[in-house]
Structures are given as structure tokens and as C-alpha cells.
Amino acid sequence: MTTRYEHDDLYWQDEYEPITEDDAFLREIVAASDLPSLLAALAAVTGDTSALTDDLQPPLTPVDTIGHPHGGMTAEQQEKARAIALAGLRRVRDERLTSVGTLSEAQLGAILGFLVAGHEEWIPSLTHELDLAPDKGAAPDWHVDEFDTERPFTVLVIGAGMSGIAAGFRFSQAGIPVTMIDEAHTLGGTWWKNRYPGVRLDTPTFGYSFSFAQRADWPHQFAEGAEIEEYLLDIAQRTGLADRVEFSTRFVRAAWLEEEQLWEVTTSGPQGERTRRFSAIITAVGQLDRPHIPDFPGRDSFRGVVMHSAEWDDAVAWQGKRVAVIGTGASAYQIVPAMYRDVESLVVFQRSAPWMLPAPSYHAEVTEAFAWLVRKLPHFGQWYRLWVTLLGIPGRLHTVTAEEGWPGVPVTISAVNQRVRDDLIARMTEQYADRPELLSIAIPSYPPGAKRMLRDNGVWAAALKAPTTTVETSPISHLTERGIVTESGIEHEVDIIVYATGFKASDYLDGMEFVGRDGIEIHEYWRGDARAYNGITVPGFPNLFMLYGPNIVGVVSGSLHFMIERSVEYALKAVRELLASGAHALEVTQEALERYLAWVDPQNRRMSWGQPFVHTWYQNAMGRVSQIWPFTNAEFWEVTERVDLADYEVLRSGARAGQTGSMGTDTGANASGNQSDSAQTWDEVDSGQSDDIENSLTAQGTSDRETTREISRDEAVEAAERARIKRSGGTV
Ligand SMILES: Cc1cc2nc3c(=O)[nH]c(=O)nc-3n(C[C@H](O)[C@H](O)[C@H](O)COP(=O)(O)OP(=O)(O)OC[C@H]3O[C@@H](n4cnc5c(N)ncnc54)[C@H](O)[C@@H]3O)c2cc1C
């Protein structure tokens, strides 16, 4: 093991505060606590797993709309569990247990076996998340020095947000020289860029952290943006990455050098344009990084202040002003409630209403009982994180899977989807009882789960009902110097326009140029339909590894941290293969990619976001769902468990050591500044893009998406074939 940390977790704590409180206090703690995670933590600290019997096992009842506390334990089970937990806490107090050690295999099996309630197939991926496991299997268990390499293996990581930090950390653990760049002046990506009022997570904080940085003392159930930014900065400092990133340095272009088997990379930064060579490139440039602003007629004529949600200007005094917010997606959903009380007036432009899942604790701090347990019960926070991760494996996938022949389309896709819709409408009916005209506007016209589901604690309805708020559903016709004119002919005069219109999510590697083995640029290869094997590797582009690549995100299940960490680990495994074999590059085959997509695409088409009548930014301009991983995290764990060389071409260079790795050589090469020109996509506003897609399909004489998919796949195969013919040598 090469990690320089005794434990893989950067927040590992040797000692916790002793418990000194009396029984009455402990009883209150137990009454206010989540039971499965508490039982697991107590079993680990005391080493006694005997109480984790089958009859006490949380049944993990599938959750439709509101959660089932304690994993669906019955009242009887809960009563028994509370008695066991109280006895456990007393023991921790009386025996002054203030630390916890690595579990034995038997203890690990007993505790995880208890929590997974029969889903043994989840255990390997959960072990990956648990620092108390004898072998967590996440950190590299090898070091570059072990290999007799003919030349240094160097890696460029583009981006220093969450993904870049994960890559920098893990590759450094293996001793691989890493160069990190970011076009921004600081770390954090999403979490320093998005500074709008109200910015915070809409997934639970305890599911939103790395397995190697399991911070436990989070103040909020859904962390504020600044808390996540602080977390990322702290990790970067603890790992030494913070000092190593080349900031204000933009990746411009990379070209694969067939003879040398290296990437020649051009960057643009404070030292001007530089060209360097690297053995591999890791893209960590996010998916929601490039703001999308719809091209409304007259957009530039508006004389007031204009801000995209991701480009918030803190100097703008919006209080007391007339404000328009365009969009009702994830960002608007946070901005509107944070602003409405302090503005003179607010107009919210809505094209489609969001579905919102009940989350009463959305703005709440963690409870006192929870904070106490984090301080006093060794590793409790980590067990709670594991429990949240476990519940996220099935998530709500069962609520968004279509039933064949279901009569409820286009507003629902199955009986359980209908039940979710009915429950959520019942909730909204109560919220808007005093404003029935808003209720009809608030009910989405698409199935639950087809777009990102937001978290509801009533603030959205309160903001829309405010006397100073207007919800405008007529589409935007054009902008004037005074404000926004709708198709219904109303002009809304405003001082400030906030574009909460999302990002160019489908334009993977936007503004970047990668010229692969055969001289084909990656966007030319993709043709508006970004595809990658396991979301990571692309045929024709050896030693290029994407993080947060195509088909990686979960909608109603999973943790993005898990997906990104596994992508990093997969890239590391690929590098290990190269070091061990003395080869220089791996290129995934077109066949492997096709096989993979033939598995992923049909499953996405079964989900609510993949239905042909649904218009969502999860689908790209070709109509393919290019954003979403439709399975569980546990299944991603399986496919990334090993790099199967049968899926790859193994490449070796004809060049000798010494010709390569000349890092930092200034050549004055030109930046070509390629732009992907695929159709725009955005998350929060449906401004007619989908109609454009339908029109273009009709123009091609193809009315169904399946056919379109086939065409694009054929084109891809054709491009790869051309590439193969053009190549000569360099392959063994
Ligand atoms: C407002 C908002 C809220 C979100 N909330 C959640 C949530 O609740 N839960 C969840 O799971 N996800 C959420 N997300 C998704 C979020 O983006 C990811 O969770 C995560 O932060 C992505 O990290 P990343 O490092 O992959 O990308 P990013 O954070 O986007 O970082 C990419 C980095 O790459 C740099 N970069 C880009 N192009 C170049 C270039 N050409 N050259 C050099 N550097 C470049 C950028 O400057 C940036 O620093 C949210 C996103 C947004 C925008």
C-alpha cells in the first residue's frame, strides 16, 4: 500500500470525546436517531455484532415519495433496536470506548450483511466506501517505482473541481507525476462559480463526499455551496494539491503523436501559450460548467443588469429592485426563495414546472442528537454516510421505470410512477389551497423523474404565492431595453434579469480540441452525440480518460462522488496495465463501446427521462440520453472493477526514451480554439430546442429516435473504420 496516510480517509479521527452523559440523556439521543446506522456504529466500536439479528434487519422497503425512516423498520423492530442501542451507548460510556479499529472480516460481514438486508451484491461497492474495512480497495495498492519503466509516465489533469481533486489525489498516491491545470483562478469548480443567493446541495450532504475524505461534522443536511467549496479547498490543502495547480491556465488543444505515443498539449496561461507532452490526459472539466443563455431576440438591447446563475456578481444590489428570473429548474428553485422577500417585484418565467420531493429538513441544520453522536460515537458520521450511500443504491429507480403498455402516458409511465404523481399533486394541492390558479401552473406535464427532482420544504410555493411575485408561463418573445416581452404581448419591465437557464450539458469537452490517432477531432467523431466506454474512454483517443463523462450521472439514485472516484480508479488500473506490460497506450475498441451502449441505451429508454414524449436536457440533440447512468452504483462498481484488455488495443511506440516527456517546453504553437457546435441544451428552460430536434429528424425523413440513434452509430463506426485504414504501424 502506497498511501502516505495510515487510513485512506483524510478525516480519520483516532480519538473521540468520551461519553459522560447519564442514561436519560442517552435515551433521548437514541429516540432522536437513525437506528440502522447507530446499530452499525455501536457494533463496530464494541466489536459485538451479536445483536444484529435477522429479525431486526431493516427491510429497505422501496421509497416512493417520502422516506421510510430507519430503512422501513417496523414499530416492533424499532423498539427492540432502541433498547439495543441504549445498551450499546451505555457500554461505550462505561468502558470509555473512544476509538475504533479496523474490523475483522467476520465483523465486516456481519454489519454489512445486516444493513443490506439480503442484497449481498451491494457489499463490494459498500466496502469501497468504508474505511474500517480490512481492504477498502479504493486506494492504489501499487507504486510507480515498482515498475521498471522505460520512460516516465506523466499525466495532465484538466480541471481542479471535485473530479480533478480526486484524480490528482489518487494518481499522486501511486507516485504518477501529475500536472493539474484550471482555467479558473481557484479550486472548486461548480462550488466557487455558483455563488447565487440560496446555492446549496439538492442531494443529501452525507452522500456527497469522497470515500477518502469522509468529513462527518457537516452543519447542514443539505450543505450550502460555500460549505462544499470549503470542503474541497480543505482536501486540496491536506493533500498538497492546492499548491500544485496551475491556475488561470486554459486547456486549448491536444494532438495524439502516433510515433511517440504521447499527447502533445497546448495550454494558455499567465506564461502565454505552452506546448507540453503527456502520456495520458484526464478531463475533469465537469458537465455543468458552461452556462447556456438562450438567444432571445433583442437579448443585447436590455439596458439593465444581466446575470447567469453561475456568473453571479456579488456587487449587484438586487434588494429593492424589479427582478426577472428566467427558468424554474434547480438553480432558480434556490434563487427565487432566497430573493423574493427582499425585492420590489419578482417575475418568474416558467416553461415547465419542476417535480419536487418532500424534504422537510432541506434548509435545516443537523440535529443536536446527530451532532452529539458525530462528536462522541467513534466513526458514527462515517456509518451514517455509508447508510445514506446504501439507501441511494436502489434510490427511487423503481418509480421511474416504464411499464410496457401503461395507459397513463404522457404524464406517467407506470403504476408506481402514477402513485408518486398523485402523492405529489396532493401535497401541492394543500400548498396552493389559497391560490388555486397557481396549482394548475405548478403541476408538471411530464412524468415524475423525467427531469431533476427538487427538494420541497414549502419554500417554493411560499415564494410563488408572495404578493410581489408573478409567475409568467407565456413563452418569451423578445427582450427590449426595459425588460421582457412575452408571446402573449405583456412587457415585464425589470431592473435585473437572472438567467437560471442551465448549462450546455450535452456539449462534452466544449471549447476543447482533441485530435486523436487518425487526425479526427473528438467532436467530429461524436457528431453531437458524446459517447464513452464506461463513460471514461473513447475509441481513437488512447490514454484519454474522462471524469463525469457521458452517461455517468444518476437522477434518482446513486452518488456522483462514487461514480467519479470509480472512474479515477479505472484510469489508474489502465495505467497500471501499461506500466506492468511496458506498453504505452490503451485505446478502447469501437466494438467494446458499441456493446456497452447496446446495454446502456435501451435501459435509458425504459426510464422516464428516456421516453420519446419527454423533452429533457438529459437527452442530447440526437435524442439519445447521453447524461444518465440508468443502473445502480453497484453495477458501475462491477463494470469498472477491472480493465479488460480484450476491450482495448494495446499500443507501443517506436520512439526511445528521452524523446518524450519534455514537460513545459514553450513552442509558441497556435491555439485553434475549436468549438463544438452541437445543438444547445439547457437544464432549466425548455425554449424550443426539442421542437428543433423533432424538425431536424423529420427533415432527415426519420421520425423515430431509434432510427436516429442507428444512423449516428453507423457514422461513428464509419469514422473509426476510416481511422483504422489511415493508420499505419504503431500497433502490436
Ligand atoms: C448549481 C449547481 C448545483 C449542483 N448541485 C448538485 C448536487 O446537489 N448534487 C450533485 O450530485 N451534483 C450537483 N451538481 C453537479 C456538480 O457540478 C457536481 O456535483 C460536481 O461539482 C462536478 O465536479 P467536477 O469537478 O466534475 O466539475 P466542475 O465542478 O464543473 O469543475 C470543472 C473545472 O474544470 C475547469 N475547466 C473547464 N474547462 C477547462 C479548460 N478548457 N481548461 C482548464 N480548465 C477548465 C473549470 O474551470 C472548473 O474548475 C450541481 C451543479 C451545479 C451547477
Side-chain angles (χ1 to χ4, degrees), residues 365-603:
E365 295 188 354
V366 298
T367 63
E368 278 178 32
F370 187 89
W372 183 91
L373 281 168
V374 165
R375 277 200 322 279
K376 301 229 173 182
L377 181 59
H379 229 67
F380 170 76
Q382 287 81 350
W383 281 108
Y384 184 73
R385 175 185 180 278
L386 186 93
W387 178 235
V388 171
T389 305
L390 186 157
L391 293 176
I393 294 178
R396 291 182 164 86
L397 280 170
H398 73 290
T399 66
V400 293
T401 309
E403 252 173 60
E404 209 150 306
W406 174 251
V409 295
V411 288
T412 57
I413 50 162
S414 70
V416 63
N417 193 256
Q418 178 75 52
R419 201 160 63 232
V420 173
R421 180 180 166 86
D422 293 346
D423 282 358
L424 296 179
I425 290 177
R427 190 177 156 84
M428 282 189 251
T429 307
E430 269 176 41
Q431 290 177 333
Y432 294 104
D434 51 343
R435 295 285 301 277
E437 83 284 6
L438 280 180
L439 178 63
S440 55
I441 293 173
I443 298 175
S445 56
Y446 54 87
K451 302 185 187 186
R452 193 170 181 85
M453 294 180 86
L454 307 176
R455 304 285 168 163
D456 186 28
N457 61 352
V459 294
W460 179 248
L464 296 198
K465 288 196 301 187
T468 45
T469 302
T470 305
V471 183
E472 180 56 82
T473 55
S474 176
I476 292 172
S477 153
H478 61 280
L479 268 59
T480 66
E481 60 182 44
R482 291 176 306 276
I484 301 174
V485 180
T486 64
E487 285 182 8
S488 61
I490 295 172
E491 179 171 17
H492 294 275
E493 292 190 16
V494 293
D495 306 307
I496 299 171
I497 296 177
V498 175
Y499 283 98
T501 44
F503 300 86
K504 297 188 198 173
S506 294
D507 292 359
Y508 285 89
L509 309 182
D510 184 49
M512 304 166 83
E513 184 178 337
F514 291 87
V515 180
R517 282 189 81 188
D518 38 48
I520 292 184
E521 204 282 319
I522 201 162
H523 299 92
E524 188 193 336
Y525 169 72
W526 279 338
R527 299 198 178 196
D529 182 16
R531 290 148 286 146
Y533 180 68
N534 290 340
I536 305 169
T537 51
V538 184
F541 299 85
N543 289 4
L544 176 67
F545 302 97
M546 295 181 73
L547 305 181
Y548 203 167
N551 294 107
I552 282 292
V553 185
V555 183
V556 289
S557 64
S559 141
L560 189 57
H561 281 75
F562 178 88
M563 301 297 277
I564 287 169
E565 277 195 67
R566 282 302 280 181
S567 304
V568 171
E569 288 158 24
Y570 184 83
L572 259 176
K573 286 172 197 162
V575 170
R576 191 189 179 286
E577 289 290 345
L578 292 174
L579 294 172
S581 67
H584 295 128
L586 288 178
E587 180 199 356
V588 72
T589 64
Q590 185 68 27
E591 292 72 19
L593 176 64
E594 294 303 325
R595 199 176 57 244
Y596 168 77
L597 291 176
W599 176 54
V600 170
D601 287 347
Q603 184 65 10

Side-chain angles (χ1 to χ4, degrees), residues 246 264-267 271-278 658-669:
E246 294 175 22
E264 186 162 80
V265 176
T266 305
T267 60
Q271 298 161 326
E273 210 154 82
R274 299 173 68 189
T275 299
R276 296 174 262 188
R277 292 177 177 186
F278 296 93
Q659 290 178 292
T660 58
S662 54
M663 298 168 70
T665 316
D666 287 4
T667 64

Side-chain angles (χ1 to χ4, degrees), residues 158-159 161-163 182-184 189-191 193-194 196 201-203 208 249-251 284-286 288-290 452 503 512 548 560:
I158 311 166
M162 173 181 128
S163 299
D182 199 301
E183 65 184 8
T190 292
W191 299 106
K193 291 187 180 183
N194 288 268
Y196 56 76
L201 285 180
D202 54 25
T203 53
Y208 194 86
T249 301
R250 188 168 58 89
F251 170 91
V285 293
L288 307 180
D289 183 60
R290 299 291 193 238
R452 193 170 181 85
F503 300 86
M512 304 166 83
Y548 203 167
L560 189 57

Side-chain angles (χ1 to χ4, degrees), residues 122-143:
W122 299 347
I123 288 183
S125 67
L126 289 172
T127 305
H128 175 277
E129 300 299 301
L130 186 61
D131 209 37
L132 296 178
D135 180 10
K136 186 174 168 183
D141 59 355
W142 54 273
H143 192 273

Side-chain angles (χ1 to χ4, degrees), residues 124-352:
S125 67
L126 289 172
T127 305
H128 175 277
E129 300 299 301
L130 186 61
D131 209 37
L132 296 178
D135 180 10
K136 186 174 168 183
D141 59 355
W142 54 273
H143 192 273
V144 68
D145 289 348
E146 293 163 29
F147 300 97
D148 185 17
T149 48
E150 136 202 8
R151 60 183 187 180
F153 194 95
T154 57
V155 173
L156 173 69
V157 176
I158 311 166
M162 173 181 128
S163 299
I165 289 170
F169 175 60
R170 288 296 189 210
F171 272 75
S172 299
Q173 279 186 311
I176 307 275
V178 174
T179 298
M180 285 181 75
I181 62 168
D182 199 301
E183 65 184 8
H185 70 279
T186 185
L187 286 150
T190 292
W191 299 106
W192 85 262
K193 291 187 180 183
N194 288 268
R195 318 186 76 80
Y196 56 76
V199 60
R200 68 192 312 130
L201 285 180
D202 54 25
T203 53
T205 312
F206 273 80
Y208 194 86
S209 60
F210 294 118
S211 72
F212 59 80
Q214 301 189 17
R215 181 180 164 183
D217 60 345
W218 291 103
H220 292 98
Q221 311 249 14
F222 293 86
E224 293 174 351
E227 289 162 3
I228 298 293
E229 184 188 11
E230 182 201 312
Y231 169 70
L232 293 174
L233 289 175
D234 190 47
I235 295 171
Q237 264 145 18
R238 284 172 192 245
T239 53
L241 292 174
D243 301 327
R244 291 177 40 199
V245 181
E246 294 175 22
F247 290 113
S248 306
T249 301
R250 188 168 58 89
F251 170 91
V252 178
R253 178 176 198 273
W256 179 251
L257 304 177
E258 188 67 29
E259 184 61 18
E260 293 86 348
Q261 300 283 307
L262 292 168
W263 282 105
E264 186 162 80
V265 176
T266 305
T267 60
S268 171
Q271 298 161 326
E273 210 154 82
R274 299 173 68 189
T275 299
R276 296 174 262 188
R277 292 177 177 186
F278 296 93
S279 315
I281 298 178
I282 296 182
T283 62
V285 293
Q287 183 207 30
L288 307 180
D289 183 60
R290 299 291 193 238
H292 167 70
I293 298 186
D295 196 11
F296 296 122
R299 193 174 78 181
D300 297 334
S301 58
F302 179 63
R303 290 270 177 81
V305 175
V306 172
M307 289 186 283
H308 185 277
S309 55
E311 292 169 340
W312 198 263
D313 183 351
D314 291 332
V316 172
W318 48 268
Q319 292 84 349
K321 299 279 168 46
R322 299 169 303 167
V323 179
V325 175
I326 304 179
T328 51
S331 302
Y333 174 76
Q334 295 176 332
I335 292 170
V336 168
M339 291 180 89
Y340 81 95
R341 287 189 200 84
D342 301 319
V343 293
E344 181 186 320
S345 64
L346 188 64
V347 193
V348 180
F349 287 84
Q350 170 182 294
R351 284 295 303 266
S352 65

